[in-house]
Amino acid sequence: MTLQIYIARRFLWLLFIVALVFTGLLLPIDLMEQLRRLDGEDAGVGDGLRLAALNLPAALYQILPLIVILATLALFLSLARSSELVVIRAAGRSALRAAFAPVVAAVLVGVTALLMLNPIVAATQSAYEREIARFRTGISSVLSVSEEGVWLRQGDGSGQTVIRAARSSLDGTVLFEATFIAFDAAGTPQERVDARRAELSSGEWLLEDAKRWPLATSNNPERDAQAVPVATIPSSLTRAQIRDSFGVPSSIPIFQLPGFIRQLDAAGFSGLTHRVWLHMELANPVMLAAMVLIGAAFSMRHARAGRSGVMVLAALLLGFGVFFLRNFAQVLGENGQLPVALAAWSPPVAAILLSVGIILHLEDG
């Protein structure tokens, strides 16, 4: 147990060092990217630095498997150079037993990241998406989904219109049982319009079976209400704005994701992307264990055996290959071409089986 704790402690320390190095690399690069994206907007270096800092946790969280495999390679190469690995093997411990401590540590890191780091990443990513939307359109968000239905907001400096619908189409451009309430710049209600169906066209909403209530110009809006079979309401929204308002699944904490998926289904939207993300998050500890085993399979050799550079390169290529295969499976799952569970769980499980096979072949005969 003392030996396992010693190896796990060294692995966690190297994991921290590698993560710190990636932080130093990603932050200035992302800062330059944010300044490029904000070019022409009313924003300065401070705004770009704030956006880069908000985006940094999500970037590190996304490449956590690559950080783990680099820390694993650094661990076993250092143990090989100091001949500690030879002593461990001479004490009768197999390669799999020597890799047990970093595997358990990686799983614990994955579970901790899922329970603690995921909500932090979701909060920073949500704030990042709101800031980006504010710089682009001046509005932090134009769409939200709740148990009451779908909510949208449109308008400009002269006023705002709040829209609520019982459900919508997959892209949010067709609303059913919709209610439009127009406000002036001071926030005073001006008009209410109910429609059985509303469709976003070029610069306007096309309403069917509508009823208008003049809230500002009438003492009795119900008496002066008008029912019209077809009506139009000007709109500043576009399909792209509605699509981008969904944000990314990573902006929703893992604990709230199942309920949000149910709300999407009830509102008429497709929750497939969020389901795939949920399973990918649950499979992340298994993915980290796979990365440790891949790194161990190619680096648990004595330094005098030679070909260390070739073996490290092979481990990196295999690790990066599994990482990009997982991302490719995620895309296929989001497009409905693979079952959700298969897209999320098959790459890490296959990587574990492959790396264990390599360890047994190279180290234990």
Side-chain angles (χ1 to χ4, degrees):
M1 182 61 68
T2 302
L3 178 61
Q4 300 288 359
I5 293 176
Y6 169 74
I7 296 176
R9 186 186 305 159
R10 290 192 59 174
F11 171 75
L12 292 176
W13 173 249
L14 289 171
L15 188 65
F16 173 76
I17 295 298
V18 175
L20 200 61
V21 171
F22 271 94
T23 300
L25 291 175
L26 291 177
L27 186 59
I29 294 175
D30 197 21
L31 175 60
M32 296 297 104
E33 175 64 19
Q34 299 302 333
L35 292 177
R36 184 191 65 81
R37 295 178 64 179
L38 295 177
D39 187 25
E41 305 288 345
D42 187 15
V45 177
D47 296 313
L49 184 60
R50 185 174 70 255
L51 290 175
L54 289 175
N55 195 40
L56 180 62
L60 290 174
Y61 189 68
Q62 184 178 6
I63 63 171
L64 186 57
L66 301 182
I67 296 176
V68 167
I69 192 173
L70 291 175
T72 303
L73 291 173
L75 170 68
F76 286 109
L77 288 177
S78 63
L79 291 177
R81 284 196 300 269
S82 62
S83 298
E84 292 174 281
L85 191 59
V86 176
V87 175
I88 293 173
R89 298 300 300 277
R93 294 185 176 270
S94 65
L96 287 177
R97 289 189 64 187
F100 177 77
V103 168
V104 172
V107 172
L108 293 178
V109 168
V111 173
T112 303
L114 183 64
L115 299 179
M116 300 180 60
L117 186 58
N118 178 274
I120 297 175
V121 171
T124 57
Q125 191 69 11
S126 180
Y128 173 79
E129 295 291 333
R130 289 196 301 269
E131 289 294 313
I132 288 293
R134 183 174 63 84
F135 280 116
R136 288 178 177 176
T137 64
I139 301 177
S140 60
S141 178
V142 301
L143 181 145
S144 64
V145 180
S146 67
E147 295 180 356
E148 291 79 14
V150 184
W151 296 84
L152 295 97
R153 181 173 60 172
Q154 66 179 32
D156 49 30
S158 61
Q160 301 284 332
T161 300
V162 176
I163 308 169
R164 192 204 72 85
R167 62 188 189 281
S168 74
S169 61
L170 294 179
D171 58 356
T173 58
V174 179
L175 307 178
F176 302 94
E177 306 299 331
T179 298
F180 295 75
I181 301 179
F183 298 85
D184 61 13
T188 304
Q190 300 294 306
E191 183 184 49
R192 170 177 171 172
V193 182
D194 284 3
R196 180 182 59 84
R197 185 178 184 273
E199 182 176 357
L200 181 63
S201 183
S202 55
E204 62 182 8
W205 290 97
L206 302 178
L207 311 182
E208 298 179 4
D209 297 335
K211 185 177 181 179
R212 292 179 179 268
W213 287 268
L215 302 179
T217 60
S218 174
N219 295 326
N220 191 339
E222 181 62 33
R223 181 194 61 195
D224 298 331
Q226 296 180 350
V228 291
V230 179
T232 61
I233 294 180
S235 176
S236 59
L237 297 179
T238 63
R239 295 175 182 267
Q241 283 180 321
I242 295 177
R243 182 185 65 248
D244 294 342
S245 292
F246 281 103
V248 292
S250 59
S251 62
I252 304 173
I254 189 70
F255 306 106
Q256 302 176 10
L257 202 52
F260 185 79
I261 293 173
R262 288 192 297 269
Q263 292 178 2
L264 284 178
D265 293 336
F269 295 103
S270 173
L272 183 59
T273 300
H274 295 77
R275 285 193 186 89
V276 173
W277 176 258
L278 175 61
H279 279 265
M280 298 292 287
E281 289 295 284
L282 295 177
N284 202 42
V286 182
M287 184 67 178
L288 299 186
M291 287 298 179
V292 171
L293 289 173
I294 289 175
F298 291 92
S299 59
M300 295 181 66
R301 298 161 52 88
H302 194 276
R304 296 181 180 180
R307 301 176 59 191
S308 296
V310 176
M311 301 300 285
V312 169
L313 180 60
L316 290 176
L317 290 177
L318 183 57
F320 276 78
V322 172
F323 180 76
F324 288 111
L325 177 63
R326 184 193 186 211
N327 292 339
F328 182 65
Q330 180 180 357
V331 173
L332 293 180
E334 293 174 352
N335 293 332
Q337 299 180 10
L338 279 179
V340 173
L342 183 64
W345 293 92
S346 58
V349 171
I352 288 178
L353 295 178
L354 177 62
S355 56
V356 169
I358 294 175
I359 290 176
L360 294 176
H361 176 72
L362 294 180
E363 300 294 334
D364 294 335

